[in-house]
Amino acid sequence: MSALNKIARTMVSHRRGILAADESIGTMSARLESVGVAPTEENRRVYRELIVTTPRLAESVSGVILADETFHQQLDDGRSFPEYLSDIGILAGIKVDTGAKPLAGASGEKITEGLDGLRERIADYVRRGATFAKWRAVITIGDGLPSDRAVRANVHALARYAGLCQEGGLVPIVEPEVLMDGDHSLARCRQVTTETLEELFEELDLLQVQLDGIVLKPNMVVPGSGSGEQVTVADVAEATVETLRETVPPAVPGIAFLSGGQDPEVATEHLGAMQGLDPLPWELTYSFGRALVGPALEAWRGQEQNRDAAQSALSARAVANAAAR
Ligand code: 5MM
């Protein structure tokens, strides 16, 4: 077993999943402001410390994805976030993309940036304790969208990122997110997700990315949030697993879903229903952001006296998702 494969398997095995706490400064600031907390560097640090010090987190979380700012911050006891996570048996990951920007010539579509200087940044993150990385590409469904050029450009960047990570000793989480925004049907989401994943695996092959040393982080196959289409948990589970069976090679050790704006409890139900569709060639787990920490942020609201309630809210979601596995 290669070192990368061993890390990837640790990330997705034993009923644990990955906590995405890597909101960019802009996103995290907006989330803090939405619950009445001033968006300062110190408040972002305090909030992230609350999240990672949740009691027994390591029983349901194998890895935490950090943003660059958090990666270089310390807990109150002086340990860096990667050091603390390692001490409690959780792998430290780092978001290495620098965000999704407008793609030239493709109105309304985005390309994720961050390849320049990535080899050197990876070496620095590895020295500071990172074992895996994350890069998120966003694919928008709309009138005539996504365009071929947006899908191609994004899967190309994902494959180049993945290759650089593996060269530097990090397991890449490869995240091609087909957004839930829009009024499209479940069938359309399935079609776009299938095409995106097909192109992604062609590109990973072209760039000689070692498939047993990645974790795929896709969207679940769901109707657009504005579609009004009524679907059951079983519909989503079946459509998602069928899409993945058609596109994801069995060499990939694990698939860790993003939640994408789904209600936290519904996302958990979807994850649970997929486990019933055995046999699956890969582990299926979670790499949720909002669906894990959303209720905790709501409960906290920046008040020290709400700390226990916030940690209990995160614990409840983490334990429920581990159980769903
Ligand atoms: C936690 O949010 C991540 C970073 O977002 P920005 O760079 O846009 O601030 C995001 O990539 C996240 O990891 C995935 O979207 C999964 O999170 P959700 O909330 O969709 O489960």
Side-chain angles (χ1 to χ4, degrees), residues 256-286:
F257 292 102
L258 59 91
S259 58
Q262 297 180 71
D263 171 86
E265 292 182 8
V266 173
T268 307
E269 285 176 28
H270 288 155
L271 181 66
M274 287 184 231
Q275 312 293 330
L277 302 175
D278 276 340
L280 302 170
W282 352 258
E283 300 276 351
L284 284 188
T285 188
Y286 49 94

Side-chain angles (χ1 to χ4, degrees), residues 36 51 58 60 151 178 233 251 253-254 262 268 280 293 306 322 325:
I51 294 295
S60 43
V151 174
V178 176
V233 168
Q262 297 180 71
T268 307
L280 302 170
V293 300
N306 296 338
R325 285 206 58 191

Side-chain angles (χ1 to χ4, degrees), residues 149-187:
R149 57 191 176 279
V151 174
R152 284 249 203 112
N154 274 292
V155 299
H156 176 73
L158 275 169
R160 286 185 57 198
Y161 140 81
L164 281 167
C165 284
Q166 292 190 336
E167 178 193 276
L170 292 180
V171 167
I173 292 185
V174 176
E175 179 178 2
E177 175 174 5
V178 176
L179 295 174
M180 243 171 91
D181 306 344
D183 55 9
H184 54 273
S185 63
L186 177 141

Side-chain angles (χ1 to χ4, degrees), residues 19-28 31 48 65 67 95 97-100 134-138 175 177 179 217 257-262 287-293:
L19 168 58
D22 60 311
E23 299 88 348
S24 54
I25 291 177
T27 303
M28 192 65 246
R31 300 227 165 117
R48 259 70 178 251
I65 315 170
K95 187 248 295 290
D97 69 64
T98 55
K134 193 200 88 171
W135 178 291
R136 170 173 171 254
V138 294
E175 179 178 2
E177 175 174 5
L179 295 174
K217 177 167 174 171
F257 292 102
L258 59 91
S259 58
Q262 297 180 71
S287 175
F288 296 159
R290 287 162 287 178
L292 277 172
V293 300

